[in-house]
């Protein structure tokens, strides 16, 4: 009988510090009305100088572990979807492994920006479905506010920091678990959203790299166009491959980048408001953290229940995009 990768626990973590749109308007030429209308964001959480990605990842991971009743030493895998790890190396997943005391787990990071959780879940689920691993902790986390230019109003208003985590376990004889994933990419669009400094092409230590920005560059309109198409593309393909109709989806949990992008995707799929989960108003775009943080809140609010069919979809720098359909 085939093995299914089932979510058995959820966790989350966000920094305590809240930054409202009015707070932003004090440091850059923007206003609450513009941000709400164009993005749906009211406020976001922001790390202090002392907080980093692993702090959020560890807290979210610990909660998912506890809620699933898993002992750290029983974990086989820790997969962290992030593009804002504490360091270029070691991986953030190894910092999580040590903090949780998961002494029998393999650990690695997956770099797929705002689609990091979609990619990470699929990788971990495939490893579980192969029968070689039984219990995996999958964390999506980013701290993009550490890399925004606070004088660039077209990007700094969009991002927030946050993490979410799921415990995935191999179950036999169940219809729960991951049903279908599509993963897609188009490197031709790499130029539209990037952070180029600090890697091997433009090392921080190289004085000739000083022209490259240490902050996020984004062509908002190009990314917007791409995002609207990518969300529809990934969902349609996932549904086709699963031989399902959009009406069979009980809850749609999209990457929380912009309310207009979410509404456009939901409309194309013909999904009513009550099937669409939104928390971009509270957190902004938390990149890899966005989808698992939304799953966590949907569960806490009683909107996500065991047995429901959930579709998640994400897009981001790469360019990358993808969707998961799962029975919770
Ligand atoms: N406050 C006030 N005015 C602003 C702001 C701001 N924060 N930002 C831009 N404006 C102004 C512009 O200067 C422009 O003024 P002008 O008409 O006088 O030139 C006007 O508002 C309109 O600007 P646009 O860029 O056309 O605004 P748009 O409606 O496209 O919204 C936005 C911009 C919100 C960035 C949108 O393009 C978007 O959401 N893009 C997608 C971004 C995204 O999802 N990125 C995440 C990718 S995932 C990852 O990998 C991290």
């Amino acid at each position: 009988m085939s093995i299914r990768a089932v979510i058995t626990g959820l966790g989350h973590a966000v920094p305590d510090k809240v930054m409202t749109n009015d707070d932003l308007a004090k440091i850059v030429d923007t206003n609450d009305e513009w941000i709400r209308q164009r993005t749906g964001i009211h406020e976001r959480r922001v790390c202090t100088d002392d907080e980093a990605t692993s702090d959020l990842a560890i807290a979210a991971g610990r909660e998912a572990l506890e809620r699933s009743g898993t002992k750290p030493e029983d974990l086989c895998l820790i997969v962290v979807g992030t593009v804002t790890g504490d360091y270029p190396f070691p991986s953030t997943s190894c910092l999580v492994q040590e903090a949780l005391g998961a002494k029998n787990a393999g650990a690695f990071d997956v770099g797929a920006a705002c689609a990091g959780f979609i990619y990470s879940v699929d990788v971990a689920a495939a490893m579980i479905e192969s029968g070689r691993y039984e219990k995996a902790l999958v964390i999506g986390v980013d701290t993009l506010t550490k890399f925004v230019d606070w004088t660039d109003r077209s990007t700094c208003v969009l991002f927030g920091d946050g993490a979410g985590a799921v415990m995935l376990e191999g179950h036999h004889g169940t219809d729960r678990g991951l049903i279908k994933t599509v993963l897609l990419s188009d490197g031709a669009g790499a130029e539209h959203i990037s952070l180029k400094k600090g890697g091997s092409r433009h090392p921080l230590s190289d004085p000739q790299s000083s022209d490259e920005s240490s902050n996020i560059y984004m062509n908002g309109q190009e990314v917007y166009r791409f995002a609207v198409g990518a969300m529809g593309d990934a969902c349609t393909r996932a549904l086709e491959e699963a031989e399902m109709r959009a009406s069979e989806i009980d809850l749609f949990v999209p990457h929380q980048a912009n309310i207009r992008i979410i509404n456009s995707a939901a409309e194309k799929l013909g999904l009513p408001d009550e099937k669409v989960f939104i928390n971009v108003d509270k957190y902004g775009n938390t990149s890899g953290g966005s989808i698992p943080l939304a799953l966590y809140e949907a569960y806490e609010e009683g909107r996500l229940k065991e047995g429901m069919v959930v579709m998640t979809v994400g897009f981001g720098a790469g360019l990358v995009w993808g969707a998961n359909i799962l029975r919770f």
Side-chain angles (χ1 to χ4, degrees):
M1 187 167 294
S2 67
I3 305 170
R4 307 293 299 271
V6 174
I7 295 179
T8 56
L10 292 154
H12 84 301
V14 291
D16 290 337
K17 186 176 168 192
V18 177
M19 185 182 266
T20 65
N21 294 342
D22 287 335
D23 292 333
L24 269 170
K26 289 179 195 145
I27 58 171
V28 67
D29 180 16
T30 189
N31 58 76
D32 179 55
E33 192 192 350
W34 190 96
I35 301 173
R36 281 180 192 240
Q37 272 183 3
R38 302 286 178 127
T39 71
I41 300 167
H42 301 182
E43 60 186 40
R44 69 285 294 139
R45 299 300 182 98
V46 178
C47 283
T48 59
D49 290 347
D50 294 339
E51 291 171 315
T53 293
S54 69
D55 299 317
L56 300 179
I58 290 163
R62 183 171 283 130
E63 187 179 16
L65 212 57
E66 285 170 4
R67 285 184 168 215
S68 69
T70 307
K71 292 197 205 99
E73 58 271 27
D74 290 340
L75 267 182
C76 312
L77 281 174
I78 299 173
V79 184
V80 177
T82 188
V83 286
T84 54
D86 288 25
Y87 315 111
F89 59 88
S91 69
T92 297
S93 57
C94 283
L95 307 179
V96 174
Q97 178 275 329
E98 162 64 11
L100 296 182
K103 59 186 181 192
N104 298 310
F108 58 93
D109 290 357
V110 169
C114 301
F117 184 74
I118 303 271
Y119 271 68
S120 299
V121 162
D122 195 44
V123 168
M127 292 170 85
I128 287 172
E129 287 161 5
S130 76
R132 290 181 57 196
Y133 302 88
E134 206 186 318
K135 294 175 193 288
L137 179 63
V138 180
I139 302 170
V141 56
D142 270 308
T143 54
L144 283 177
T145 71
K146 299 264 182 184
F147 303 95
V148 295
D149 173 355
W150 292 104
T151 67
D152 175 4
R153 66 180 183 172
S154 62
T155 54
C156 74
V157 302
L158 301 175
F159 299 110
D161 302 329
V166 298
M167 187 62 212
L168 281 183
E169 296 187 55
H171 285 189
H172 294 262
T174 178
D175 64 349
R176 293 178 64 203
L178 194 65
I179 296 170
K180 193 59 74 178
T181 296
V182 293
L183 302 179
L184 295 148
S185 63
D186 179 11
E191 65 192 278
H192 298 318
I193 176 161
S194 62
L195 201 175
K196 290 190 172 164
K197 202 159 178 175
S200 59
R201 190 162 299 280
H202 303 291
L204 286 173
S205 55
D206 179 357
Q208 292 185 340
S209 288
S210 57
D211 287 348
E212 280 301 336
S213 171
S214 311
N215 297 315
I216 298 166
Y217 165 78
M218 186 183 74
N219 180 334
Q221 289 183 356
E222 279 294 340
V223 175
Y224 189 92
R225 259 193 294 278
F226 151 69
V228 168
M231 296 272 260
D233 177 44
C235 293
T236 308
R237 289 194 201 210
L239 285 166
E240 272 171 19
E241 288 186 24
E243 296 180 359
M244 293 174 76
R245 293 182 308 276
S247 57
E248 292 173 77
I249 301 299
D250 297 311
L251 191 67
F252 182 49
V253 184
H255 171 44
Q256 307 285 313
N258 183 319
I259 191 86
R260 292 187 292 150
I261 297 172
I262 294 172
N263 286 342
S264 156
E267 199 176 307
K268 272 192 200 152
L269 293 165
L271 293 172
D273 289 353
E274 62 271 19
K275 286 191 171 186
V276 182
F277 190 81
I278 293 170
N279 65 0
V280 68
D281 51 325
K282 290 196 286 182
Y283 301 115
N285 179 349
T286 57
S287 186
S290 151
I291 291 170
L293 182 55
L295 284 172
Y296 178 88
E297 291 209 325
Y299 183 73
E300 286 299 289
E301 291 173 20
R303 290 185 59 190
L304 175 57
K305 298 193 177 85
E306 195 172 311
M308 277 183 149
V309 177
V310 183
M311 181 155 65
T312 62
V313 59
F315 64 89
L319 299 165
V320 287
W321 65 108
N324 296 321
I325 301 176
L326 58 93
R327 188 178 292 278
F328 188 72

